[in-house]
Amino acid sequence: MATQTSHRRRLLFVDDEEGIRTTLPAILERRGFEVRVAASVPEAFSEIKTHEFDVLLSDLNIGEDGNGFTVIRAMRQAHPNCVAILLTGIPRLRLRCRLLRMK
């Protein structure tokens, strides 16, 4: 009989707002995720290069070095099977159209 080991999903959370970076990862960890956090696009790139991820949860507006689309492209190149989720507080039709074209 084979023993079953639990696999925690590895998640990269990217957001430039400190308050969100300190609260949301704790919630995600309680839901069974192993969470790594990045506060900028360069930090996200470093995490993507050095770790494997199952899920990317990124804010759209991260800073001057890029945005959530930049991070998604890097993640898809490094880890094509990673599920990418983009967060934003800005509901726009143009943004929705751009998201639909990112397959």
Side-chain angles (χ1 to χ4, degrees), residues 1-74:
M1 182 158 81
T3 59
Q4 190 177 33
T5 59
S6 64
H7 171 68
R8 293 182 71 190
R9 296 286 182 187
R10 298 160 299 204
L11 184 142
L12 175 60
F13 177 62
V14 186
D15 200 300
D16 61 338
E17 292 186 40
E18 185 178 351
I20 296 172
R21 282 195 321 272
T22 58
T23 55
L24 190 54
I27 294 167
L28 294 166
E29 286 172 348
R30 283 196 304 266
R31 298 303 243 168
F33 287 95
E34 177 184 326
V35 181
R36 296 201 58 89
V37 177
S40 66
V41 172
E43 283 183 28
F45 287 170
S46 178
E47 291 291 332
I48 290 167
K49 288 178 187 174
T50 57
H51 297 88
E52 296 267 337
F53 293 100
D54 301 303
V55 180
L56 166 66
L57 182 57
S58 178
D59 185 21
L60 174 61
N61 300 310
I62 304 167
E64 297 113 27
D65 298 316
N67 58 33
F69 292 118
T70 309
V71 177
I72 288 174
R73 279 191 288 279

Side-chain angles (χ1 to χ4, degrees), residues 77-96:
Q77 189 172 32
H79 310 288
N81 293 324
C82 180
V83 174
I85 302 168
L86 192 61
L87 301 173
T88 184
I90 307 169
R92 292 189 207 156
L93 181 58
R94 252 177 43 203
L95 172 62
R96 290 183 202 147

